[in-house]
C-alpha cells in the first residue's frame, strides 16, 4: 500500500464550504485522500509504513486543472509575437503543417513537465493539427507523453475541415476530410477513453473553431460525442474578427451559431469566451456550458478582457487554461490564478474577484467543466489524491499574512510536493518523472528543426 501523511501545513480544501486549516494534515492511501483535517494526523489513523512529510511553511491545495492547451505549440514559441489571432494563425499554420511525431513528443513532454512544475495535475490538450497519414501516430505520442510525465490527460481530439478554398482560414493542405476526422476521433474514444473515477486519460471531441470547421463537422461531432458519452470542446468568441466571420458566413453571432448546431449544452466547454454579450452569457449559463478562461493568452494576443465575474453571475461554470505556448509563452498555470484575478479587477474594480475565487477557478472550476468534479478539484476524503504542496518559505512568500493570498498574488511559488493519484510527480521543486535538462535539449532541437525545415 502506498501511504503518505502530510502534516503541519496550511490547507485550502476548496470544498463547497471553503474549509481551510491554518495548520492541518492530509492522509493519502492507495491514490485517494482518506483524511483531511486540522492539527496533526491522529496517531490511531496513521496507515502502516506511511511516508511522513512535514509541510511547515507550506500551503496544500488541490492540484490545478488546466482546461485549455495546445501542447504541440511548445515547439513553436516566439513566432508572430506582435500579431492578431488571425495573423498569428496564418503565420503559424505552415509551420504546424510540418509537425511530425518526434516534434510532438518533444513538445508535449516538455510542456507537461513545465505544467507539473507550475502545479497542474490535470491537463486538457486540444490538438487539432493532424497532417495526412500521421493522425494515429500523433495520438499515441500524446498519450505516451502524459503517461511519462505522470499527469492526467484530457485529450481533446481536434480537427479542421474548412480550408481556404471552402472559405476557412487554414490552408487546404493541413485540413482533414470530414469523415476521416470523425472516424479518427471515434477511434480515439473507443481505444482510450477511461470512464473510471481515477481515469488518467479521457478523450473529448473537439473541432477547432467556427472559422476552420464546416457546419456539418460541428453537427456530426456533437452527435458523436453524445453517442459515445464524452465531452465537446472548441474555441469560441475569442476575437471580434471571429464574430465578424460568423455574421458574414452564417448570418448570426458565434453563440447563436453554436446553439443551432447543438453545442450549447452542459457537456460542452468553450475556450476563451472573451466577447459574450448579456444574451450569450444567459444562454451559456442556462445550458450549463463551461468556459475555459485563458487570461494571459487573451492579453498576449490583445483580444480583450473576458468578463468572468459576469459569467459566474450568469451561472456559467468557469475553469482556467494557459492556452498554447505559442500564444502565451509563459505557460505557467499557477500564474493564471493571479492573471484571472487581475483581469476581473481591471474590468470591475478591486471587489470583482478575491484570491479564493481565483483558486476555485483553477481547481474545482476546471474539474467541473471537464466533468471530473466528483473525483478531482478539492481536498476531501474519498477524492483522488491530486495535491499541490506549495512552498511559501522562500524570499517571494515568507511572512505574507495569508497563504492563499501569497499563492495567488505572490510570485510563482515552488512546489514542495505534487502528487497525482498519490504518486509524487514533483518533490522539492524537482520533477521526479523525467530529466528536465534532457527535455529542454529535445525541445530546443525540435523547435529549431520546425523553424528551419522547408515550408510545407
Ligand atoms: Zn487555444
Amino acid at each position: 500500500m502506498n501511504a503518505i501523511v502530510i502534516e503541519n501545513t496550511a490547507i485550502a480544501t476548496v470544498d463547497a464550504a471553503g474549509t481551510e486549516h491554518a495548520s492541518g494534515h492530509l492522509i493519502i492511501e492507495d491514490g485517494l485522500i482518506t483524511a483531511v483535517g486540522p492539527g496533526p494526523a491522529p496517531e490511531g489513523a496513521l496507515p502502516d509504513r506511511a511516508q511522513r512529510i512535514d509541510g511547515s511553511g507550506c500551503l496544500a491545495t488541490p492540484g490545478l486543472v488546466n482546461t485549455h492547451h495546445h501542447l504541440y505549440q511548445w515547439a513553436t514559441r516566439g513566432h508572430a509575437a506582435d500579431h492578431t489571432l488571425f495573423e498569428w494563425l496564418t503565420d503559424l499554420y505552415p509551420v504546424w503543417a510540418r509537425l511530425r511525431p518526434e516534434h510532438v513528443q518533444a513538445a508535449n513532454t516538455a510542456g507537461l513537465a513545465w505544467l507539473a512544475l507550475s502545479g497542474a495535475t490535470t491537463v486538457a490538450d486540444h490538438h487539432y493539427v493532424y497532417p495526412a497519414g500521421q493522425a494515429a501516430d500523433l495520438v499515441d505520442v500524446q498519450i505516451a507523453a502524459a503517461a511519462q510525465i505522470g499527469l492526467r490527460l484530457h485529450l481533446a481530439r481536434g480537427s479542421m475541415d474548412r480550408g481556404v478554398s471552402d472559405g476557412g482560414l487554414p490552408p487546404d493542405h493541413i485540413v482533414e476530410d470530414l469523415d476521416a476526422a470523425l472516424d479518427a476521433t471515434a477511434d480515439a474514444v473507443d481505444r482510450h477513453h477511461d470512464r473510471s473515477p481515477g481515469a488518467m486519460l479521457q478523450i473529448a471531441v473537439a473541432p477547432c473553431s467556427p472559422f476552420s470547421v464546416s457546419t456539418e463537422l460541428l453537427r456530426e461531432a456533437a452527435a458523436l460525442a453524445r453517442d459515445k458519452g464524452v465531452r465537446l470542446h472548441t474555441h469560441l468568441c475569442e476575437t471580434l474578427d471571429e464574430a465578424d466571420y460568423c455574421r458574414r458566413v452564417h448570418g448570426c453571432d458565434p453563440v447563436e451559431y453554436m446553439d443551432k448546431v447543438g453545442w450549447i449544452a452542459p457537456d460542452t466547454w468553450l475556450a476563451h469566451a472573451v466577447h459574450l454579450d448579456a444574451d450569450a452569457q444567459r444562454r451559456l449559463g442556462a445550458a450549463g456550458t463551461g468556459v475555459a478562461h485563458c487570461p494571459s493568452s487573451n492579453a498576449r494576443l490583445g483580444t480583450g478582457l473576458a468578463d468572468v465575474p459576469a459569467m459566474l453571475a450568469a451561472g456559467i461554470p468557469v475553469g482556467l487554461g494557459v492556452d498554447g505556448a505559442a500564444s502565451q509563452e509563459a505557460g505557467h498555470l499557477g500564474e493564471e490564478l493571479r492573471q484571472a484575478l487581475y483581469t476581473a479587477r481591471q474590468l470591475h474594480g478591486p471587489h470583482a474577484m478575491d484570491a479564493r475565487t481565483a483558486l476555485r477557478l483553477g481547481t474545482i472550476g476546471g474539474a467541473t467543466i471537464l466533468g471530473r468534479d466528483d473525483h478531482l478539484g478539492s481536498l476531501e476524503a474519498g477524492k483522488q489524491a491530486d495535491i499541490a504542496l506549495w512552498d511559501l518559505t522562500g524570499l517571494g512568500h515568507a511572512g505574507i499574512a495569508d497563504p492563499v493570498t501569497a499563492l495567488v498574488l505572490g510570485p510563482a511559488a515552488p512546489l514542495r510536493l505534487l502528487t497525482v493519484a498519490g504518486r509524487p510527480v514533483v518533490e522539492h521543486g524537482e520533477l521526479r518523472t523525467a530529466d528536465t535538462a534532457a527535455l529542454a535539449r529535445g525541445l530546443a532541437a525540435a523547435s529549431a528543426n520546425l523553424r528551419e525545415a522547408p515550408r510545407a
Side-chain angles (χ1 to χ4, degrees), residues 10 53 70 153 167 204 229 238 240 250 253 290 313 328 334 367 409 413:
I53 293 171
H70 314 286
L153 176 66
E238 184 172 0
L240 294 172
H250 304 296
D253 290 340
Q328 208 275 82
L409 294 187

Side-chain angles (χ1 to χ4, degrees), residues 15-42:
D15 65 7
T19 307
E20 296 183 8
H21 305 294
S23 178
H25 67 274
L26 285 148
I27 302 177
I28 303 166
E29 293 177 79
D30 286 336
L32 297 178
I33 298 168
T34 54
V36 50

Side-chain angles (χ1 to χ4, degrees), residues 149-174:
I149 303 302
L151 301 190
R152 294 185 202 275
L153 176 66
H154 281 236
L155 177 55
R157 204 292 182 185
S159 48
M160 303 188 289
D161 74 332
R162 190 183 197 116
V164 168
S165 62
D166 291 323
L169 194 67
D172 289 340
H173 62 273
I174 64 163

Side-chain angles (χ1 to χ4, degrees), residues 232-327:
L232 281 165
H233 181 51
T234 194
H235 295 93
L236 204 73
C237 299
E238 184 172 0
T239 65
L240 294 172
D241 287 343
E242 176 197 319
D244 289 345
Y245 176 92
C246 269
R247 275 187 222 106
R248 187 162 42 79
V249 176
H250 304 296
C252 59
D253 290 340
V255 169
E256 226 177 318
Y257 173 57
M258 294 305 278
D259 207 1
K260 284 182 190 165
V261 291
W263 274 65
I264 304 304
D267 53 1
T268 300
W269 87 102
L270 304 168
H272 298 287
V274 175
H275 301 283
L276 292 182
D277 62 18
D279 180 56
Q281 287 164 4
R282 230 178 353 259
R283 279 183 196 234
L284 296 191
T289 302
V291 165
H293 178 42
C294 304
S296 293
S297 171
N298 297 340
R300 189 318 198 156
L301 288 167
T303 57
L305 301 168
D307 193 343
V308 169
M311 291 187 217
L312 295 176
I316 300 173
V318 180
L320 297 182
V322 298
D323 203 3
S327 67

